[in-house]
Amino acid sequence: MNLSIADLTALIMVVFTFVTTVANILLWISTRRTVTILLDQVRHQIASGYSQAQHSVIDAHRDLFFGILNNPTLREAFTQANGLDLKDWELQKVSEFLVNQVLIGFLNFKNGIISGVHFDGFTRDARDVFAYPSIRSHWKKMRSVHSEDFRHFVETKLLFEEP
């Protein structure tokens, strides 16, 4: 087989073009995977930030309540000024905190912060929380302030009655 310089040059160009094309395809696949990974990380960071913000709000709420509860003068003044029975008010606050703890777990699952396996165990524990009459009573009064997906979770997974 006799190849002229022009034929040899053309053959080298075809091989070079083929190698370059394959390299570009591999680079494109790699870049696409990297971008997908980065997008997943950003989504996870946003979800984590949202869950952390929700947790901070609930912590601040709990700190405020304990500040009032641990200051007898303030506690007495607050309950009298608002016409509240101290024991009923305390029970309401404890119920709120427990419902909010379940909400945090739900949001962490929904936002991908905790896995389905861990959420199954959490759901069993949350079902025990919602078995208390004070929690059920509080839920009936406050369910409308929660999101539709959280209400659905509570009412189908936590409040259902076993046959």
Side-chain angles (χ1 to χ4, degrees):
M1 179 149 84
N2 270 341
L3 292 176
S4 68
I5 293 287
D7 292 339
L8 188 57
T9 303
L11 182 61
I12 290 172
M13 287 304 292
V14 167
V15 169
F16 181 73
T17 301
F18 176 76
V19 168
T20 303
T21 302
V22 169
N24 282 332
I25 289 170
L26 292 174
L27 181 62
W28 176 76
I29 290 170
S30 174
T31 301
R32 188 171 169 206
R33 285 183 183 160
T34 301
V35 168
T36 301
I37 290 169
L38 289 174
L39 286 173
D40 288 344
Q41 288 175 345
V42 167
R43 284 185 194 112
H44 184 74
Q45 285 176 330
I46 290 169
S48 180
Y50 177 73
S51 292
Q52 186 60 39
Q54 184 72 27
H55 196 278
S56 295
V57 167
I58 290 172
D59 282 348
H61 184 230
R62 186 174 41 239
D63 291 344
L64 178 63
F65 167 72
F66 285 132
I68 294 169
L69 184 65
N70 291 324
N71 182 331
T73 306
L74 181 59
R75 182 182 65 223
E76 185 68 27
F78 180 81
T79 54
Q80 280 184 0
N82 292 293
L84 300 171
D85 175 81
L86 178 60
K87 295 301 175 193
D88 288 344
W89 181 69
E90 289 173 343
L91 185 59
Q92 176 189 356
K93 291 302 162 192
V94 169
S95 297
E96 274 179 36
F97 296 146
L98 291 172
V99 169
N100 284 340
Q101 285 303 118
V102 172
L103 174 62
I104 288 173
F106 174 77
L107 290 173
N108 286 338
F109 171 70
K110 183 178 171 188
N111 292 323
I113 307 301
I114 60 175
S115 70
V117 171
H118 291 104
F119 189 67
D120 289 343
F122 169 82
T123 299
R124 285 189 298 277
D125 291 342
R127 195 173 294 127
D128 290 342
V129 168
F130 273 82
Y132 294 121
S134 62
I135 302 297
R136 287 176 179 258
S137 173
H138 179 73
W139 177 254
K140 286 177 186 173
K141 294 177 205 166
M142 301 304 295
R143 67 180 293 283
S144 64
V145 302
H146 292 282
S147 67
E148 179 62 35
D149 55 345
F150 183 62
R151 285 194 311 261
H152 179 76
F153 168 71
V154 168
E155 291 168 2
T156 61
K157 302 293 183 191
L158 305 182
L159 291 177
F160 77 94
E161 298 294 328
E162 303 243 7

